[in-house]
């Protein structure tokens, strides 16, 4: 929760208007919030102790990785141009330290 507050406060400052936030947990992954969503859904599926429940986090991962993230990356590249390209080159896309 702390990273959300920091990001929110950072974006409220006038000098940051139109700038890309790359601090907090976003230094580990461009779409760290989606990674968190997949993790909690996976935890719920494991808690259910049902193999079929694992289809939900698998579907969510595929939805984010193959649809939502490419669409959002295109938008961010257009909005932030070189800043986003530099950020994307040095930061994992979805899963910290892996992908």
């Amino acid at each position: 929760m702390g990273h959300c507050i920091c990001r929110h406060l950072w974006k409220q400052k006038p000098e940051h208007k139109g700038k890309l936030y790359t601090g907090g947990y976003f230094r580990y992954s461009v779409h760290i919030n989606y990674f968190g969503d997949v993790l909690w859904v996976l935890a719920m599926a494991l808690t259910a102790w049902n193999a079929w429940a694992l289809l939900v986090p698998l579907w969510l991962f595929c939805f984010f990785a193959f649809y939502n993230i490419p669409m959002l990356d295109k938008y961010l590249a257009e909005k932030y141009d070189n800043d986003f390209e530099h950020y994307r080159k040095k930061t994992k896309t979805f899963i910290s330290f892996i992908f």
Side-chain angles (χ1 to χ4, degrees):
M1 173 136 177
H3 68 89
C4 293
I5 294 171
C6 291
R7 180 175 183 259
H8 175 73
L9 294 176
W10 187 88
K11 287 205 163 266
Q12 296 302 310
K13 294 184 178 182
E15 65 267 22
H16 297 148
K17 184 166 179 64
K19 293 187 179 178
L20 179 65
Y21 179 76
T22 61
Y25 292 130
F26 290 94
R27 73 176 149 241
Y28 303 115
S29 170
V30 176
H31 302 285
I32 195 72
N33 49 329
Y34 295 152
F35 177 57
D37 289 343
V38 170
L39 279 182
W40 78 260
V41 171
L42 177 62
M44 294 299 287
L46 292 172
T47 301
W49 205 252
N50 181 328
W52 289 103
L54 293 174
L55 292 175
V56 176
L58 178 63
W59 178 86
L60 192 60
F61 173 84
C62 291
F63 174 72
F64 286 149
F66 301 114
Y67 177 73
N68 217 26
I69 288 174
M71 184 176 57
L72 184 55
D73 281 355
K74 182 181 177 199
Y75 166 78
L76 293 171
E78 290 171 3
K79 182 173 181 177
Y80 297 109
D81 198 28
N82 290 334
D83 288 342
F84 182 70
E85 287 305 316
H86 176 71
Y87 173 54
R88 186 162 56 175
K89 284 180 183 175
K90 68 176 185 144
T91 311
K92 296 298 182 186
T93 299
F94 188 14
I95 302 172
S96 303
F97 309 109
I98 299 171
F99 167 66

